[in-house]
Amino acid sequence: MSQVHLRDSDFEPIQIDQKEAEKIAGQSTSYWKDAWRRFRKNKLALAGIVIIILLAFMALFGETISGQNYRDNDLMNANKPPSAEHWFGTDNLGRDIFARTWYGAKISLFIGLMASLIDLIIGVIWGAVAGFFGGKVDEYMMRIADVLYSVPYLLVVILLMVVMKQGLWTLIIAMTITGWINMARIVRGQVMQLRSEEYVMASKSLGASDFRLLFKHLVPNTMGPIIVTLTLTIPSAIFTEAFLSYLGLGVPAPKASWGTMSSDALASFQYYPYQLFFPAFFICLTMLAFNIVGDGLRDALDPKERK
């Protein structure tokens, strides 16, 4: 059998360019950077982000761009079709629909965002506490949530809007009475899975308080599902506002929202369909954009998709 003779030079490191070495080894990346990399590959989700940004911009500046006031009546120009003067036409009181559409966007988006934010705060705290302590604490807290959840959501909101004085904050509060429960259940499940992880046990053994364990270690590691749920809650809240305003239980006059505009336009839909088209179109577009972004975030933040 022939012998293989090894030389000292055989053990010397290969001379390679640093950039080439990085390509071979692969650059280290964080969870969020990796999620953003995968999210950017979803062209449809990026389009949804662009649509949401444009809608937010027009909600802030659309009325100014139009040069019209959403409340100004001009009966001499009532029910005018879209034109150079009134881009979306006018309603039965001669009000500029373009200005009202973007003022309505401001109201609808504000209600949707605020209701979802309150759902987020209550749901995260409730679910995190229940999931972390478990036992009787978890049982009692989730039984309360189950009782509230057993009552139909829209029924609760409608009853509260009938009993309470109509207003933006009344509508937001009514929508959040039971709206936080889905967020709480998701956070609870995530915290229950994470509380036995080694890094949590190590922090606990070092004397970390329950508050620190919850909001320093556990809740931040559930941000993926929280963000996805929040993104999908916003369009649901916008639709609920539009539905209630359509029934006359939402935004009070003289304020305008997409729901109130749709309700006002229904009576004359046969003769002036454009009056209903614009608010209905932007309700659908907004909900679609948020849902697309939510689906994109779900795929990007799913640990199973990481490579």
Side-chain angles (χ1 to χ4, degrees):
M1 180 181 294
S2 61
Q3 295 182 348
V4 178
H5 298 283
L6 298 176
R7 296 169 296 180
D8 292 339
S9 60
D10 293 332
F11 296 92
E12 293 179 358
I14 299 174
Q15 299 298 323
I16 189 171
D17 183 78
Q18 184 177 357
K19 292 183 179 180
E20 293 296 325
E22 290 179 354
K23 291 181 180 179
I24 295 172
Q27 294 182 354
S28 60
T29 183
S30 66
Y31 172 78
W32 294 105
K33 286 183 178 179
D34 185 47
W36 171 240
R37 176 183 61 81
R38 283 182 281 115
F39 182 81
R40 285 184 301 173
K41 294 181 179 180
N42 190 329
K43 303 302 181 184
L44 195 59
L46 288 178
I49 289 285
V50 172
I51 292 172
I52 292 171
I53 292 173
L54 290 175
L55 288 170
F57 176 84
M58 292 303 296
L60 292 173
F61 303 107
E63 189 179 3
T64 303
I65 293 172
S66 72
Q68 305 282 345
N69 188 293
Y70 79 97
R71 292 186 297 181
D72 289 345
N73 297 344
D74 184 5
L75 294 177
M76 298 297 295
N77 286 307
N79 299 318
K80 294 293 184 180
S83 64
E85 185 179 0
H86 300 285
W87 297 343
F88 287 178
T90 61
D91 64 8
N92 60 338
L93 295 178
R95 296 173 296 190
D96 185 77
I97 295 178
F98 185 86
R100 288 178 65 78
T101 296
W102 297 119
Y103 181 85
K106 187 185 303 182
I107 296 296
S108 295
L109 289 173
F110 173 77
I111 292 174
L113 291 171
M114 287 304 302
S116 300
L117 182 60
I118 295 173
D119 286 344
L120 168 70
I121 294 172
I122 298 175
V124 167
I125 295 175
W126 193 278
V129 171
F132 179 76
F133 290 103
K136 292 294 184 182
V137 174
D138 176 49
E139 182 178 351
Y140 292 143
M141 291 182 71
M142 296 315 296
R143 291 300 77 77
I144 293 173
D146 290 341
V147 169
L148 291 174
Y149 193 74
S150 65
V151 182
Y153 171 70
L154 280 177
L155 179 61
V156 173
V157 177
I158 291 172
L159 287 175
L160 288 173
M161 292 304 299
V162 171
V163 172
M164 301 169 68
K165 183 179 179 180
Q166 284 185 246
L168 293 184
W169 286 104
T170 302
L171 182 57
I172 291 170
I173 292 171
M175 291 168 62
T176 56
I177 292 295
T178 60
W180 55 271
I181 296 175
N182 186 47
M183 179 71 75
R185 287 178 166 178
I186 291 172
V187 173
R188 170 184 174 266
Q190 292 291 316
V191 169
M192 292 184 73
Q193 291 180 3
L194 294 172
R195 66 182 181 181
S196 59
E197 293 288 334
E198 293 181 358
Y199 67 90
V200 177
M201 303 303 293
S203 297
K204 190 172 184 178
S205 66
L206 293 174
S209 64
D210 291 341
F211 182 88
R212 183 176 177 82
L213 288 172
L214 266 175
F215 298 102
K216 177 69 175 178
H217 297 291
L218 292 174
V219 171
N221 282 287
T222 65
M223 287 306 296
I226 288 174
I227 292 173
V228 172
T229 304
L230 177 65
T231 308
L232 297 176
T233 301
I234 294 172
S236 176
I238 291 174
F239 176 78
T240 301
E241 178 278 321
F243 175 74
L244 292 172
S245 295
Y246 180 82
L247 295 178
L249 297 174
V251 178
K255 289 183 171 63
S257 74
W258 288 334
T260 59
M261 292 179 64
S262 299
S263 179
D264 293 341
L266 183 62
S268 56
F269 173 73
Q270 183 177 356
Y271 304 101
Y272 312 108
Y274 63 88
Q275 295 180 4
L276 179 61
F277 170 79
F278 291 108
F281 171 78
F282 286 111
I283 290 172
C284 295
L285 181 63
T286 303
M287 293 182 64
L288 179 63
F290 272 105
N291 284 325
I292 288 173
V293 171
D295 289 339
L297 286 172
R298 181 190 289 119
D299 294 338
L301 295 172
D302 187 353
K304 297 178 182 178
E305 299 293 332
R306 298 194 69 187
K307 297 179 181 180

